[in-house]
Amino acid sequence: MRRVDLADGAIAGAVGSTALNVVSYLDVALRARPESSVPGETVDRLAGIAHVNLGSGARAANRRSGLGPLIGYGLGIAAGVAFALYAGGRRQPLPVATGLLGAGVMTMTDGSITALGISDPRTWRRSDWISDIIPHLAYGLTAAATWNRLRRPSDRGR
């Protein structure tokens, strides 16, 4: 595994994370629904586990609103790096890579909020699942397309 492959995986994960956020915010705008409280709740739980004081009032709220998305980008980038390890530096069929990346990052996200006791996907309604699946598919598609685009022509057959 070359370092450039891991960097390309991180880039693909960052691009996928951006797509996930764009689709999520479009959903917020189109359906006039509130933003998810999950990122802020995740920050609170992780800060509690790490015994980190976020402050109080507006300072804590501002830290939550800054750290929540950063955690999401971190998960997305980590999933891209994990995919690079799986792919071995080679291009991957777009449908397979889309599914692996989308399902992988969705599992990481939903698994972490379940483990932290923030939400239980078993209780979600159909609309909740749709609001979760579609952005993660956008992540998978854009991350996979980016990964394949970053592969040099000589990487296609190795």
Side-chain angles (χ1 to χ4, degrees):
M1 174 63 51
R2 301 176 307 169
R3 279 187 287 177
V4 70
D5 294 332
L6 297 177
D8 287 351
I11 291 166
V15 171
S17 295
T18 300
L20 182 147
N21 286 329
V22 167
V23 170
S24 294
Y25 285 120
L26 279 171
D27 181 39
V28 167
L30 292 172
R31 293 195 303 147
R33 68 171 179 84
E35 289 184 59
S36 174
S37 62
V38 169
E41 292 176 47
T42 302
V43 170
D44 281 339
R45 294 289 170 93
L46 293 175
I49 291 168
H51 304 290
V52 172
N53 184 350
L54 296 175
S56 61
R59 291 178 62 97
N62 291 339
R63 287 189 174 117
R64 272 186 224 96
S65 68
L67 291 170
L70 289 175
I71 291 170
Y73 273 100
L75 282 172
I77 291 167
V81 171
F83 181 78
L85 291 168
Y86 159 79
R90 294 181 297 279
R91 293 173 60 91
Q92 298 295 307
L94 192 60
V96 171
T98 296
L100 285 173
L101 282 158
V105 82
M106 187 171 159
T107 300
M108 289 171 62
T109 304
D110 294 350
S112 64
I113 64 172
T114 301
L116 290 170
I118 295 167
S119 183
D120 183 351
R122 295 175 298 181
T123 66
W124 293 357
R125 300 170 307 203
R126 183 177 12 198
S127 63
D128 299 326
W129 277 105
I130 291 169
S131 292
D132 195 47
I133 291 169
I134 292 174
H136 285 101
L137 280 175
Y139 170 91
L141 178 61
T142 55
T146 300
W147 170 259
N148 282 343
R149 180 66 178 102
L150 291 172
R151 309 291 16 103
R152 295 188 319 247
S154 62
D155 293 334
R156 293 178 189 181
R158 74 171 181 129

